[in-house]
Amino acid sequence: GRNFEMLLAKADVAMSVARQQGGNRLLVYDDAYGEQLRGDFELQSALATVLDRNELVLHYQPIIDTRYNRVVGVEALMRWMRGSQMLSPGKFIPLAEDSGLDFRMGEWAISEALQQLRRWQLAGVPIPGVSVNVSVRHLRQPTLLRAAQQALEATEMPASALTLELTEIDVMRDIENVLPTLWELKKAGIRIALDDFGSGFSSVSYLTRMPVDTLKIDRVFVSELENDIGQLKVVRSIIALAGALDLQIIGEGVERTEEMHMLQKLGCQDLQGYLFSKPMTAAQLERWMTENHIMPGRGWPGEGTTAGS
Ligand code: G
Ligand code: MN
């Protein structure tokens, strides 16, 4: 800075950017930060009314039981349709956190996903459940469980049709505070998945007394399966752990056929990733299911009678 005001302003900008990157770090000011902050500020103002303007949509990525070619669930992912732009949660959720808007968006997503699931059920589309990503910050709010229960009542869907995905690392960081809430969800019948599993340093003893239903293997392991024997060993142990604890195991971020084969050979059959499909709109997903001859699966009312028809 040429003078004190300038120096202070730039230090302030660097501090804001450092905070956005998670805080607790040292950053040297760069002119590009000024631009970035101005852009973020614009986004943040537009974000305030995103729900009122119906600009938020959910895309769905199928999770497939590859043994029987059936969909065991879909993961709902938020997209902000901003004019011709499509923004992913990574771009806007951090900006929504200051105002608590991320909580409202998360609760909207739960309700929207269940309404869609209801429409699918009425239309005979064989999708038994939906999962929604939520943050541990949000989990600590009493509003989350209430919102989920209201959405379940309104759509008359069984609680087990809803899975909440929490990243392993966030859960483990705050495990003692999170445990009671997880049990409340469990009591309500809602399913819980640990996302990005394998990088979050779970203590195995916690896992045995934690009411989780599903482990989703972090995609960093999946992408290195072929070349790195160490990663393969990690994945094999995660799958064994899930088996021992009677948990569902999902391999995510599957992009190549070889990855699919390796995961299957290791005993992981429920898979998700670009190899099968990118996240897509509800209508696109329905078309995709028809084109790929997806079968009705376990837990689906028409099972046995409609299969193959
Ligand atoms: O952290 P979580 O697993 O919820 O992240 C889901 C994100 O991963 C979505 O944004 C989705 O678009 C992305 N994704 C889904 N499948 C794949 C894949 O096969 N490869 C990669 N690189 N990303 C994927
Ligand atoms: Mn997820």
Side-chain angles (χ1 to χ4, degrees):
R2 288 181 181 283
N3 53 44
F4 176 72
E5 282 72 26
M6 207 56 181
L7 186 66
L8 192 67
K10 289 183 174 179
D12 206 37
V13 166
M15 182 174 68
S16 298
V17 174
R19 272 209 193 109
Q20 275 176 13
Q21 295 178 356
N24 196 25
R25 65 195 58 212
L26 183 77
L27 266 194
V28 178
Y29 172 86
D30 186 299
D31 278 336
Y33 292 159
E35 284 296 317
Q36 187 188 327
L37 277 192
R38 225 165 298 130
D40 286 353
F41 183 71
E42 263 174 53
L43 272 189
Q44 204 163 23
S45 328
L47 196 57
T49 51
V50 71
L51 282 170
D52 307 325
R53 280 181 283 113
N54 293 320
E55 286 181 0
L56 214 56
V57 298
L58 290 183
H59 283 189
Y60 300 90
Q61 189 176 36
I63 301 156
I64 299 135
D65 179 344
T66 52
R67 282 171 308 180
Y68 304 108
N69 198 38
R70 62 192 181 192
V71 169
V72 292
V74 291
E75 178 172 359
L77 296 153
M78 273 194 262
R79 299 288 182 259
W80 178 10
M81 310 306 276
R82 186 170 186 246
S84 58
Q85 245 183 326
M86 184 173 91
L87 299 169
S88 292
K91 268 247 180 275
F92 61 84
I93 289 293
L95 300 177
E97 283 171 358
D98 293 347
S99 54
L101 185 56
D102 56 323
F103 298 157
R104 274 177 55 214
M105 290 169 134
E107 286 161 26
W108 170 86
I110 292 171
S111 158
E112 174 68 20
L114 285 171
Q115 287 175 48
Q116 182 56 60
L117 192 64
R118 173 76 173 159
R119 286 193 287 272
W120 278 327
Q121 196 188 55
L122 292 175
V125 180
I127 298 174
V130 66
S131 53
V132 178
N133 295 285
V134 292
S135 67
V136 163
R137 275 179 62 239
H138 195 177
L139 193 72
R140 284 198 304 258
Q141 309 294 311
T143 57
L144 178 70
L145 178 60
R146 241 182 295 131
Q149 283 175 314
Q150 274 169 13
L152 286 165
E153 270 166 41
T155 55
E156 297 177 7
M157 295 307 287
S160 61
L162 175 66
T163 300
L164 297 181
E165 290 194 11
L166 297 152
T167 60
E168 182 205 12
I169 195 156
D170 287 343
V171 169
M172 284 305 150
R173 258 192 209 132
D174 199 20
I175 182 68
E176 287 301 339
N177 286 316
V178 168
L179 265 179
T181 319
L182 292 182
W183 278 108
E184 277 180 54
L185 290 169
K186 179 75 176 176
K187 260 185 265 154
I190 296 166
R191 294 172 55 93
I192 299 153
L194 289 185
D195 211 348
D196 305 335
F197 191 86
S199 313
F201 311 108
S202 271
S203 128
V204 175
S205 76
Y206 269 124
L207 268 183
T208 60
R209 53 192 188 94
M210 223 160 84
V212 299
D213 302 278
T214 302
L215 305 182
K216 296 185 82 172
I217 306 170
D218 194 327
R219 78 168 67 73
V220 304
F221 298 117
V222 173
S223 58
E224 314 236 306
L225 257 184
E226 284 167 275
N227 308 321
D228 188 333
I229 186 77
Q231 305 289 54
L232 184 126
K233 286 178 179 169
V234 173
V235 170
R236 188 189 288 143
S237 335
I238 293 174
I239 294 171
L241 184 64
L245 297 176
D246 227 354
L247 305 177
Q248 181 196 21
I249 181 90
I250 297 176
E252 65 174 353
V254 181
E255 296 183 352
R256 286 165 315 115
T257 318
E258 300 77 50
E259 292 165 0
M260 174 178 77
H261 289 320
M262 294 195 77
L263 283 165
Q264 287 173 325
K265 234 187 290 168
L266 291 171
C268 179
Q269 316 291 345
D270 291 354
L271 304 178
Q272 176 186 359
Y274 293 165
L275 175 65
F276 310 99
S277 155
K278 297 206 163 178
M280 52 197 162
T281 65
Q284 287 168 336
L285 177 67
E286 290 163 28
R287 226 171 305 137
W288 176 90
M289 287 179 70
T290 312
E291 284 164 5
N292 290 280
H293 311 292
I294 298 293
M295 296 293 176
R298 227 189 353 252
W300 179 249
E303 180 188 15
T305 51
T306 52
S309 67

